[in-house]
């Protein structure tokens, strides 16, 4: 009887140990799966964040490129002043922080002084960049913190891009001319690049 009882207890202990081992193994597998999912999601979110930042730079440079074209022989009749709010809304965060801070205040101060007291030394091509700096410095926090980077800002960027595209097509004499003539093609490429950031950001926002 004693030997049978001891054998029973041993079998029960082995059975409990096996069940505990299986349970621990299952828990470790669950933890490993969760860690893999966490790593994959972190990589995906990091990639999306990098993509958004990169496309912000692309869109911002495209707007600056169009401003430069407007001051050359490639000039068209599109309303390039709309590029100023576009740049304001799409400017990368760290550059926005620099230009809207003390650095931007000094630049705006010098621009205003030149414009008021030395107008002959203030060229026409500085009007729009000066307006951008003033906008960066004096814009209320609602625009800087809520509209900029939010869904409203994305729709404004899309609206500006759509308006400039249709105005450019009209000024070029039709859709075909806007993509076949040399001056039309250069502006068309720049305007199309304006769409990359807001479209990408809207897709991420929807997903």
């Amino acid at each position: 009887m004693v030997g049978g009882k001891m054998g029973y207890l041993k079998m029960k202990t082995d059975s409990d140990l096996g069940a505990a081992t299986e349970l621990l193994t299952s828990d470790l597998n669950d933890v490993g799966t969760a860690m893999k999912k966490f790593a994959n999601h972190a990589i995906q979110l990091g990639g999306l964040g990098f993509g958004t930042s990169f496309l912000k730079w692309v869109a911002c440079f495209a707007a600056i490129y169009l401003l430069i074209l407007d001051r050359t022989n490639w000039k068209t009749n599109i309303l390039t002043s709309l590029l100023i709010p576009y740049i304001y809304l799409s400017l990368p965060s760290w550059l926005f922080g620099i230009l809207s801070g003390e650095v931007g205040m000094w630049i705006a101060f010098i621009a205003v002084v030149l414009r008021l007291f030395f107008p002959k030394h203030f060229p026409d091509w500085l009007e729009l960049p000066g307006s951008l700096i003033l906008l960066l410095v004096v814009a209320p926090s609602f625009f800087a913190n809520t509209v900029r980077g939010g869904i409203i800002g994305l729709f404004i960027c899309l609206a500006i891009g759509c308006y400039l595209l249709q105005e450019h097509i009209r000024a070029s004499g039709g859709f075909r001319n806007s993509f076949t003539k040399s001056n039309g093609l250069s502006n068309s490429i720049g305007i199309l690049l304006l769409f990359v950031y807001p479209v990408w950001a809207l897709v991420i926002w929807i997903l």
Side-chain angles (χ1 to χ4, degrees):
M1 288 294 294
V2 175
K5 189 174 182 180
M6 291 296 292
Y8 172 76
L9 290 174
K10 183 178 180 181
M11 290 176 60
K12 186 176 180 181
T13 302
D14 292 342
S15 176
D16 292 342
L17 183 60
T21 302
E22 290 180 0
L23 184 61
L24 180 61
T25 303
S26 176
D27 290 341
L28 289 175
N29 289 334
D30 291 341
V31 171
T33 303
M35 291 298 292
K36 288 180 181 178
K37 288 182 178 180
F38 176 77
N40 290 333
H41 291 165
I43 292 171
Q44 290 175 3
L45 289 174
L48 293 175
F50 172 78
T52 303
S53 299
F54 174 74
L55 293 179
K56 265 190 175 183
W57 279 104
V58 172
C60 190
F61 277 120
I64 295 172
Y65 164 76
L66 289 171
L67 283 177
I68 294 173
L69 284 182
D70 189 57
R71 297 299 173 179
T72 65
N73 294 329
W74 302 87
K75 184 176 181 179
T76 63
N77 294 322
I78 61 175
L79 188 60
T80 50
S81 58
L82 286 175
L83 293 170
I84 298 304
Y86 183 94
I87 295 174
Y88 175 85
L89 294 171
S90 64
L91 201 65
S93 299
W94 72 270
L95 187 57
F96 180 87
I98 293 174
L99 295 179
S100 62
E102 194 71 21
V103 174
M105 291 180 185
W106 275 104
I107 296 174
F109 174 75
I110 294 172
V112 170
V113 169
L114 286 176
R115 186 70 180 86
L116 290 175
F117 303 108
F118 307 97
K120 293 182 180 179
H121 298 281
F122 193 86
D124 292 339
W125 59 268
L126 277 179
E127 290 284 350
L128 291 180
S131 300
L132 174 61
I133 294 297
L134 286 173
L135 183 62
L136 288 167
V137 172
V138 304
S141 59
F142 172 76
F143 290 97
N145 302 325
T146 304
V147 175
R148 201 186 107 83
I151 190 66
I152 300 175
L154 295 178
F155 278 116
I156 292 174
C157 288
L158 276 178
I160 291 174
C162 291
Y163 179 80
L164 291 177
L165 182 60
Q166 66 92 17
E167 283 295 307
H168 170 58
I169 292 174
R170 182 183 300 175
S172 299
F175 182 82
R176 184 172 182 178
N177 289 336
S178 64
F179 285 94
T180 54
K181 292 183 178 180
S182 56
N183 60 336
L185 180 61
S186 60
N187 283 280
S188 298
I189 293 174
I191 293 173
L192 289 176
L193 288 176
L194 297 178
F195 289 92
V196 293
Y197 159 64
V199 170
W200 172 262
L202 279 175
V203 169
I204 294 177
W205 182 79
I206 292 171
L207 296 178

